[in-house]
Amino acid sequence: MSAADPSAAPAAAAVADPDGPDAVRLTWNTWPRSKVEASRCVVPLAATISPARVPDPSAASPPPLPYPPLRCKPPCSALLNPFARVDFAAKIWICPLCFSRNHFPPHYAAISESNVPAELFPQCSTVEYIVGGAGVPGVGGAPAPPPPVFLFVIDTCVIEEELEYVKMAMRKAVALLPEHALVGLVTFGTQVHLHELGFSDLSKIYVFRGTKEISKDQILDQLGLAGAGRPGFPKMPQQPGGPQVNGMHPPSTAGVNRFLLPVSECECALSTLLDELQPDQWPVEAGNRAIRCTGVALSVAAGLLGACMPGTGARIIALLGGPCTEGPGMIVSKDLSEPVRSHKDLDKDAAPHFQKAIKFYDGLAKQLVSQGHVLDVFASALDQVGLAEMKVAIERTGGLVVLSESFGHSVFKDSFKRIFEGGEQSLGLSFNGTIEINCSKDIKVQGIIGPCTSLEKKGAVCADTVVGQGNTAAWKMCGLDRNTSLTVFFDVSPSERSSQPGHQNPHLYIQFVTSYQHPEGQMRIRVTTICRKWVDGSTNTEELVEGFDQETAAVVLARYISLKMEMEEEFDATRWLDRSLIRLCSRFGDYRKDDPSSFSLHSNFSLFPQFMFNLRRSQFVQVFNNSPDETAYFRMLLNRESITNSVAMIQPSLISFSFDSPPSPVFLDVASIAADRILLLDAYFSVVIFHGMTIAQWRNMGYQNQPEHEQFAQLLQAPHEDAQMIIEGRFPVPRLVVCDQHGSQARFLLAKLNPSATYNSAHDVAPGSDIIFTDDVSFQVFCEHLQRLLAVQS
Amino acid sequence: MASSPPQQQPPPPFAAQNLTAQGPVQVPPGSGAGALPGAFANLQISRGAAPPPGAPRGLTPQQAPPAFAARPGPPPAAARPAFPGSPPAPPFVRAPTAATSASPPFGGQPGLVSQPLPPFGGPPGAASQPPPSFGVPPGVVSQAPPPFGGPPAAVSQAPPPFGGPPATASQAPSPFVGHTVAASQAAPFGGPLVAGSHPPPFGGPPVAGSQPAVPPRPTFPGHSGPMAAAAAWTQPTPPSFGAPQQPPPPFGSRPVGQPPFATQSAPVAQQLPFMGPPRANAPAFGPPSWQAQGAGSGAMQPPMRMPGIPGSMQPNTLGPPGTPTIPYSPHAGTQVSTPSKIDPNQIPRPMPESSVIIYETRQGGQATIPPAASSEFIVKDTGNCSPRLMRCTVNQIPCTGDLLTTSGMPLALMVQPFSLPHPSEEPIQLVDFGEMGPIRCSRCKAYINPFMKFVDQGRHFICNLCGFRNDTPRDYMCNLGPDGRRRDADDRPELSRGTVEFVATKEFLVRDPMPAVYFFLIDVSMNAIQTGATAAACSAIAQAISDLPEGPRTMVGIATFDSAIHFYSLKRAQQQPLMLIVPDVQDVYTPLQTDLILPVSECRENLEQLLESIPNMFENNRVADSAFGAAMKAGFLAMKSTGGKLLVFQSVLPSLGVGSLSAREAEGRANITTGDKEAHKLLQPVDNTLKTMALEFAEYQVCVDVFLTTQSYVDIASISVVPQTTGGRVYYYYPFSALSDPAKLFNDLRWNISRPQGFEAVMRVRCSQGLQVQDYFGNFCKRVPTDIDLPAIDSDKTVMVTFKHDDKLPENVECGFQCALLYTTVYGQRRIRVINLSLSCTNLLANLFRCADLETQFACFLKQAANGIPTSPLPRIRDEATNTCINILQSYRKHCASVTSSGQLILPEALKLLPLYTLALVKSVGLRTDGRLDDHSYWISLVSSISVVLAVPLVFPRLIPIHDLISRDDDDSLVPSPLMLNSENVQEDGIYLLENGEDGLIYLGNMVNPATLEQIFGVSSLAALPVQLALDQFDNELSRKVNEVVNEIRRQRCSYLRLRLCRRGEPSGDFFRSFLIEDKAPGVFSYVEFLVHVHRQIQSKMT
């Protein structure tokens, strides 16, 4: 007997943790039964899941189970879960997804109603199993997990100062790396330098030309790793006390570990190397960009890692200081008179290198995915570096990406440090994830948006329509971390039999099975099974409304249109959003015909128009305000972040600090600005502390330093503390902007506010408040239009 | 640029003294030399010793020893024993020389001028003196800065740039210190001997050319005092070759430096205006007995006649002049009826020339016939160039092509533009025309030369080559004297000397003159490491660095390679050198744009350190592959912007990357056994890859030298294309021995970089109308038909230029040849070396034969044969060589000696050794059917640039007994007279050295006296002899002598010689015997048989 109450779990958990213990959120928690009904819901049926999310420590979750899970018989293969009906007497369980009956294996013989394995506990809708000691399937029995591999790829076509920042960051990173982690170093400029760290006599560098595309086989061949690589890759740093003696390729160092060494062994060499690292020596002609062969550098890095065992968790960490100007992956010619492509160029198909570069990175992505390795990009440059082209490789491999203006900027420095930190602060970087989805019969999967790649494993769950990475029942995530979140799009396609009344099961089940290499090294399988209710939508709008999650819906829509904007030419996102909103409101809103003012929405929908309003104005839709690189960056993060964080990207939160009241959220509206307030804006990518005029004056006069005004000092301090909390919990680290009203930096706040007061509406500007110079409509106007349209339309 | 004032020219440190004298810088014999040495050293492209002549002399014998002892780090010059007339300084002697410390050079010595300044010693103040002009019109600079002489610094520098062959002498740490003779022998050889014996060379020929004969005078004329110097050259001085009269050097050793045949020096002095003394002119061979006949004939050449097989014995007095006959055997008259009766002792054989010849290139308005190339002579340039620089196969030019064809002889020039001069010769003078540039014919662009005729009061001049009448530039006008010559002709080198150098003006520069760039590429593949080849190369380079030209313009770079190419950045700032690996050997590139090649001054220490560590670094290298072609290409890319020398040390067959080769030899063996007619194809390059590469190298002025330190087949046929196209050469050490070869490797390298040379050169030979250049042969790259490009050219390289008639030449007019070589000196000056030769024309075949130059012709045959080997089967090549010989002799027989009985074999005097040399050629390594492919290919590559002097020895080696060196009493020459090359001369109780300029085979009989063995080799029995030979010097007279002899030969040949032990009954013994040309070998004639064969062939053609 199943002990779970399907509807209770999510509701209860939502209070503590918006994402629940399962880290799954759905746009609709109640599903219409038919295709037609589903499409009338306007917002697609979708779920977001964070497969490696560490549940809130306070929530009592069982420790990982040290045994392998039980599976339903093929083709279902779903894992045993709390929703299974168990016949303790017969030692049989019935799969809730396919209703097959399965016998428990002998070692489950002790099972009884009072002795239930953890995976059957009702609260254990999500459980983890630890499988295999080493965790690498296929390599049996090795006791220690393979060490993580970090291959740094550093751009040297930067000015001395930037390079110094890079070195500083690198030194910190090396100090933070676990002793056994393997490290490699590639530097590049006009040519690619692969440093052989295991060679002690002198600095030994393999040089690859930047102009020529080079295949993995060629690289391995040229490095003398061909053949030797795969089988030879040692599980552990080679025998202790065996430092590389003289000799180029002594047998002991014949493998890839000439280039990838445990930190403990190469720390010294690495620091010497960093000390002597110079900006690229090749001359830059006047009027030209530096020649930078990012593409080949990444190829070389990927090729080198190709000599590692597949399944070894490895990251390529690329630090880029500018655009690729030569060879494969080139995004702009070295001639400075040619600007880097803009959205306009892409629109007009006037970016000559774009498609070629995309193709190159697509190939690189495929290679990395097949090797199971990750590409992380830290781009720190004032101009673009080609993230738009690299997006495919970063996203498919589940890599991290950080875009900043300089290697000296805290956005880079702190973010970079974060990835090496352990403990609470750790990002929980995991490797080699695969995710499979099992669902109840009538549910199909259209695809996933997010940092993963299709494994092209066709299955019964594949829907005809494809969204994102689709047409498969399994996906690869080379890299994933605690925050990684995927959006799965579902389709309802009831089979004829199941649509017959009477046969209907009131519940639907979806099971996410993720296997990945935990940061601690072991291989884990995480199973999340969710249960939701079917409703007959045509008759029961109420129930549907109850099940609506507007935040998730807004985020899913944002992800969905971002994808459409990239995939479909001439896609008009604003119009599409408007029409969707109108359709949704007309379906679920209450109003009287021809009376716009009668319009009202259920509380589950109340925020949705505002989300849409802000989404229309956001960087995801209004791309022309940004460079293609920034757009790519924003979208990559939108696609991989949790719902809460993603909502902040769409609709920033605004908190007001003043003497009058405790810190409280205020409307994201220009009207929230007041002279005696401090506002804290969290727009995810940036955190803005905005001092009202009066506050700024007081502060400038130094009141906070006077003992009698301690309160003022506290008021000044409070937003900083809050900002710090936000910053600490976030990767990439947001940009902190501290500004004063009417200061130039104030634009970071003003750009996000609803322009309820503009220079056009200057009639009653309260003293101390502000106006925004824009022709954009305000939210009020937007809503009026919406109501009028609805009322008139119907 | 071109107009830089002479004074600024680099160096002539001591020029000052020279300049006072007008005209040629003459060093008074045995006197003022001391004062001049510097200048001399510098000015002179001295063939032996850059060291100022004075230097050696500076040491009185008695004083010498201490001097040396005292001073290890020698002043350059001194180090190099400059023997009079000796070829380049003994390269391999490590002799600490301390000229400096040897102060009063000739102090007590009678006859010696007390020498004011130690030659090299602390350079006298003079050193710093700019070369004052010569007293000639401005613009003509005495060639102070010898092209290679370089900056004054050179003087004090150990091996003067010029100084001839690599002399380890001056170098303190000599490479072979441990194991070579030279090293241990320091003092004895390098030092005192030299000094003591050395007087004459500098004695210089009498200045006044008109003085016919000067009686031999005691060695050192009695000049004394400072004024002696001045006096010396104004006054005809007898050439003082009188070494013999000199008191014997105190230390009892024979005067090393002495002219080999000094005893006979007297005759040298007699100068017969139109014909040299017989000795001088005629090939310097031939037993006296033959000459007896000729001698009396005055102007006639000694004829020689060989009675035919049945023929009459009577010397034919009716024969045309120049065709004396000589009997086959003394008894010929009576009983020679069959070949077997020919007395082997009477047949023509080379006779060593015994004295130094003073040779004036023109006398009485006509070209003189140059002495034999192999003889020792001092050239006085009186209008024609020195024969060392350029010599013709015939010294009179046939007026018609028909005449030439009839003679059967070739018409070709051998041009060796940087050949080492005799130390006593006047240096080539440098002429600076300022911005105007050298005067040239406006039609054919020939350079001004002594044969251009000024007419019309000097307002016009007529080109001697094309006949065009040019306007004389106003600045260059000068009135004509009563003799029709310009009044200033004698003051202007370009109007009075056969060879001059012009400062190149802007129009000759397409870019700034390139710096001297040396890039070393070292094979570090497994085999190279394990055989010690890498270590040898590294050590050779490390030691040779100090011999690179001084100055900021000298740059070096280094890379190693196996299956990848490893570059090194030696920038001083870097704490440890940076190794940059280029792994893509299919498509190479350079890993850095800068820092790979740095001025040597900036990276010397780093480089030395690196060279020391390379062998260790790669100690455990297991990579067997070697990407030779790719490495060269990569090295080339690194130096593409400047050009320069790429020195490659390769040890195995290049098996990887661009230009990789396959082991064709194996397939070749199979083919040979199956009698494949295409066997010679294996001597051709396998494909065009390396050739294409080489052409690109040449285009960017990169010259490649390849040092093959190998123990297996490396396909030299393919590899040699690169050096041959870029003006370099192949050095071959097979089988490489880590014991005995490093010394040679070092000396080869050292000589390679320190010998006189030039970069980015273009050469063109022009000739009078009626003739045209047919082709050029040698190591160069030819892009247009008229010019050849030489990324580098050095003193060892010879270019053969063949000519053909396109019209008749008038008999009364001389035919002119002009070779112009535009090049950059190692110090970055752009120069044009112009070498002129004007020869009279003749319609008489007899004249052609009389003026034939045997050695030059033979060099020509040798090169043509080598050239044909890769494209024709060997038997055909041998037949062609034999037929060439037969045709020439038959032509002579038919047209010039027709009256004599057909039963006699009559040989033209000038060509009497042609049959012998032809036989040697046919039996040579290159033309033998057996032997390894690489040996053949190496031989071919060697021949392509070989000089006339070395051509004959290559196939006709010298055989010298060394077991009895002490007991020899002909004390006058260092190297004993060679033995005839037949086995009768090889006794089982003897030890013999057989050398051909490349290899030195030491043959040990089976009954050698153990005591002798002990003395020479330090072992007491044959069985104890090591397989690999390092000729150490032991503390005994014989050992010293042997080493002296070997060193002398090394110096003469500018080659270190690969010494090998040969023993009877072993393959090495058979190898040795294969060089005994006169012997009968399976399938090949003995000398006597060959003569008979030739005679028969002629007879059959006559009838």
Side-chain angles (χ1 to χ4, degrees), chain A residues 501-519:
Chain A
H503 248 94
Q504 291 177 350
N505 184 312
H507 292 133
L508 60 96
Y509 301 93
I510 303 171
Q511 188 177 57
F512 303 94
V513 181
T514 315
S515 68
Y516 66 100
Q517 184 187 335
H518 193 264

Side-chain angles (χ1 to χ4, degrees), chain B residues 622-648:
Chain B
R622 294 285 171 272
V623 178
D625 285 321
S626 164
F628 166 77
M632 277 197 305
K633 184 76 185 266
F636 157 70
L637 290 173
M639 59 199 303
K640 191 172 174 181
S641 60
T642 53
K645 298 200 68 158
L646 186 59
L647 301 140
V648 191

Side-chain angles (χ1 to χ4, degrees), chain B residues 395-396 811 841-852 896:
Chain B
N395 288 299
Q396 288 195 12
E811 195 172 4
C841 300
T842 183
N843 265 320
L844 289 179
L845 202 52
N847 283 345
L848 281 189
F849 280 103
R850 187 171 54 81
C851 297
C896 303

